[in-house]
Amino acid sequence: MIFLVIFMTSCSSESIDEVVIIEDSSELIIPESKTIEIEIMELINDYRLSKGLNPLNNVGIIKAQAFNHTDYMISNNHVSHDNFNSRRLFLEDRLGAQNVSENVAYGFTSAQSAVSAWLKSDGHRANIEGDFTDFELSADQNDAGKWYYTNIFVKK
């Protein structure tokens, strides 16, 4: 089971060498939040509050980056942090982010199961408990109904 959790989740706060050019921010797609996304963000903020940490704010430009990455993972049928450096640079440039991290996951069928898996992992929990001000999340299903998740944390 531990292998499954490690395999199905991943986190990143490190730079990745690959850089992708980001188009003008006026072309960003910021979809409405799904129920599972709202539930995950509420669970994360409830957890942060239980630890004496500030709740995180939702920011549309972060949602757009999370959405694009979730779509990318579904298109490639692969959970990854590919192009994380591009997302980080974009958020630094357009949002004034000082620090950016992300958690990704695959296959969890409920908000509680995804958040529980992240909290059982030192790296993911560190992102959830990190010194951040804002976050957003994208969750979507592939054609087979498997869920993919991207959760981006930002400190402004």
Side-chain angles (χ1 to χ4, degrees), residues 2-155:
I2 291 174
F3 173 74
L4 184 61
V5 170
I6 292 170
F7 176 73
M8 296 179 75
T9 62
S10 183
C11 64
S12 180
S13 59
E14 301 170 3
S15 296
I16 296 176
D17 292 335
E18 184 177 353
V19 175
V20 174
I21 305 290
I22 305 290
E23 290 119 34
D24 182 357
S25 61
S26 65
E27 298 178 20
L28 293 177
I29 299 170
I30 305 172
E32 287 190 40
S33 293
K34 297 176 182 73
T35 300
I36 194 167
E37 294 168 339
I38 294 166
E39 290 171 352
I40 289 171
M41 291 184 293
E42 287 175 350
L43 286 168
I44 288 172
N45 270 338
D46 288 348
Y47 175 82
R48 287 179 60 86
L49 288 168
S50 77
K51 298 295 183 185
L53 302 168
N54 62 298
L56 302 175
N57 302 305
N58 306 95
V59 178
I61 196 168
I62 302 171
K63 174 91 171 172
Q65 293 298 297
F67 172 78
N68 287 340
H69 186 60
T70 299
D71 188 54
Y72 170 87
M73 291 190 299
I74 289 171
S75 295
N76 289 285
N77 196 32
H78 177 70
V79 178
S80 73
H81 292 287
D82 291 355
N83 308 313
F84 173 75
N85 198 44
S86 293
R87 288 187 293 288
R88 180 185 58 79
L89 292 171
F90 181 87
L91 292 168
E92 286 173 357
D93 182 54
R94 303 289 167 81
L95 191 60
Q98 297 173 11
N99 189 19
V100 179
S101 290
E102 75 180 12
N103 290 345
V104 298
Y106 164 81
F108 297 99
T109 58
S110 71
Q112 186 63 59
S113 63
V115 173
S116 292
W118 281 332
L119 291 174
K120 290 176 185 172
S121 161
D122 291 341
H124 298 98
R125 187 175 55 257
N127 285 342
I128 290 171
E129 294 177 353
D131 183 20
F132 297 107
T133 55
D134 307 286
F135 75 154
E136 256 301 350
L137 181 102
S138 173
D140 211 349
Q141 294 173 290
N142 67 9
D143 290 339
K146 298 292 181 182
W147 284 96
Y148 286 76
Y149 304 88
T150 303
N151 190 190
I152 299 177
F153 302 87
V154 169
K155 179 178 181 172

